[in-house]
Amino acid sequence: MTVAERVDHLDEALSAFITSVGIEFNKLYNSQMRTEAELRAFKEDTQAFKDEMREFKDEMQAFKDEMQAFKDEMRAFKEEGRQQNREMNRRWGELANKLGTLVEDLVAPSLPRIVQEMLGQEVMDLSVRRKRKRADGRQQEYDALAVTLETVCLASVKSTLRSADIDHLLNEELPAFRTFFPEYQALPLVGLIASLAVDDSVLRHAERQGLIVLAIGDQIMEVKNTPGFVPRRY
């Protein structure tokens, strides 16, 4: 092959190489451009998602704030209703006290619930102004009795409760009970003391003696003993 032929062949090879490189470069360039466009679109989508999430978080925070405001309003409404209920029960108690029907109207209707709450027992026999007279002329009256299959609950009701009333229940009424009601000899006694309101010092005195203490509350008569209190069996 002559020099001229070799030069021509080299030119052809070089031209083919340049053409091939140009094609590949165009492919690479176009691919890079597509990649950049895809990356740009991805970033835009990601930013849009972040913006949507931020808006969602703001909406959720606003919803939480509204729910908290609603809960606060409901709490205030419930507290107002509770206070009104207590006031109504207090006035009812004062009226029953004036009429002399405190036992019948407030204490006795509450005893089945309270006995179930405190002892987990069902009241089978409920009586008020329970009086018994012995052959020797002695007599004894109890404000209210609630009898279950396992226990006799003896309630003493006072319009104003004093420590002396607790002592009288402990020293007079409870010890005399089985003398006047021997049919309940086998059942333990639980003492309850009830009033319109109870001072803390009187409550502590009664609780030390194992007595259930009742006073006006949200549910007409409610237990005032400290949580976890266990009444004493006599």
Side-chain angles (χ1 to χ4, degrees), residues 61-74:
Q61 185 60 50
F63 175 74
K64 289 180 179 179
D65 294 340
E66 291 176 0
M67 286 301 297
Q68 185 60 49
F70 175 73
K71 289 180 180 179
D72 293 340
E73 291 176 1
M74 287 300 298

Side-chain angles (χ1 to χ4, degrees), residues 111-155:
L111 285 179
R113 171 178 54 82
I114 289 169
V115 171
Q116 180 66 46
E117 176 184 337
M118 295 299 294
L119 305 179
Q121 300 173 22
E122 181 181 359
V123 173
M124 309 302 294
D125 182 20
L126 178 63
S127 57
V128 299
R129 312 294 182 186
R130 189 71 175 270
K131 184 183 295 185
R132 180 71 60 86
K133 186 174 182 180
R134 287 176 55 87
D136 58 10
R138 289 185 299 161
Q139 63 180 14
Q140 181 72 36
E141 180 178 338
Y142 294 96
D143 292 330
L145 293 181
V147 183
T148 75
L149 294 177
E150 305 172 45
T151 312
V152 176
C153 299
L154 189 157

Side-chain angles (χ1 to χ4, degrees), residues 15 47 70 82 87 172 206 210:
S15 177
Q47 185 60 48
F70 175 73
R82 186 177 294 112
E87 180 63 19
E172 302 292 336

Side-chain angles (χ1 to χ4, degrees), residues 25 114 176 185 188:
F25 177 79
I114 289 169
Q185 189 72 30

Side-chain angles (χ1 to χ4, degrees), residues 4-198:
E5 290 176 342
R6 290 182 179 178
V7 170
D8 290 341
H9 181 72
L10 182 60
D11 288 340
E12 292 175 358
L14 180 60
S15 177
F17 174 75
I18 291 173
T19 300
S20 176
V21 169
I23 293 173
E24 293 300 324
F25 177 79
N26 287 334
K27 289 181 179 180
L28 180 62
Y29 177 77
N30 292 334
S31 175
Q32 182 178 358
M33 292 299 294
R34 284 196 302 271
T35 301
E36 290 179 355
E38 290 173 355
L39 284 173
R40 190 179 302 108
F42 176 76
K43 289 181 179 179
E44 291 173 354
D45 290 343
T46 301
Q47 185 60 48
F49 176 75
K50 289 180 178 180
D51 294 339
E52 290 177 359
M53 287 301 298
R54 188 178 299 109
E55 292 177 2
F56 176 75
K57 289 180 179 179
D58 293 341
E59 292 174 357
M60 285 300 297
Q61 185 60 50
F63 175 74
K64 289 180 179 179
D65 294 340
E66 291 176 0
M67 286 301 297
Q68 185 60 49
F70 175 73
K71 289 180 180 179
D72 293 340
E73 291 176 1
M74 287 300 298
R75 189 178 298 109
F77 176 75
K78 289 180 179 179
E79 181 58 30
E80 182 180 354
R82 186 177 294 112
Q83 291 177 355
Q84 291 177 349
N85 191 46
R86 288 174 182 166
E87 180 63 19
M88 182 183 67
N89 289 338
R90 185 185 66 80
R91 293 182 179 180
W92 185 13
E94 291 176 350
L95 178 60
N97 183 45
K98 290 179 180 179
L99 297 175
T101 58
L102 190 60
V103 177
E104 292 84 354
D105 290 345
L106 299 184
V107 178
S110 301
L111 285 179
R113 171 178 54 82
I114 289 169
V115 171
Q116 180 66 46
E117 176 184 337
M118 295 299 294
L119 305 179
Q121 300 173 22
E122 181 181 359
V123 173
M124 309 302 294
D125 182 20
L126 178 63
S127 57
V128 299
R129 312 294 182 186
R130 189 71 175 270
K131 184 183 295 185
R132 180 71 60 86
K133 186 174 182 180
R134 287 176 55 87
D136 58 10
R138 289 185 299 161
Q139 63 180 14
Q140 181 72 36
E141 180 178 338
Y142 294 96
D143 292 330
L145 293 181
V147 183
T148 75
L149 294 177
E150 305 172 45
T151 312
V152 176
C153 299
L154 189 157
S156 179
V157 183
K158 305 295 179 184
S159 57
T160 302
L161 186 60
R162 302 166 302 173
S163 294
D165 299 317
I166 296 172
D167 295 336
H168 184 266
L169 173 63
L170 293 170
N171 300 325
E172 302 292 336
E173 296 181 60
L174 284 172
F177 179 78
R178 291 188 175 87
T179 300
F180 288 91
F181 295 90
E183 62 269 30
Y184 298 120
Q185 189 72 30
L187 295 179
L189 289 176
V190 170
L192 299 94
I193 194 94
S195 185
L196 296 178
V198 182

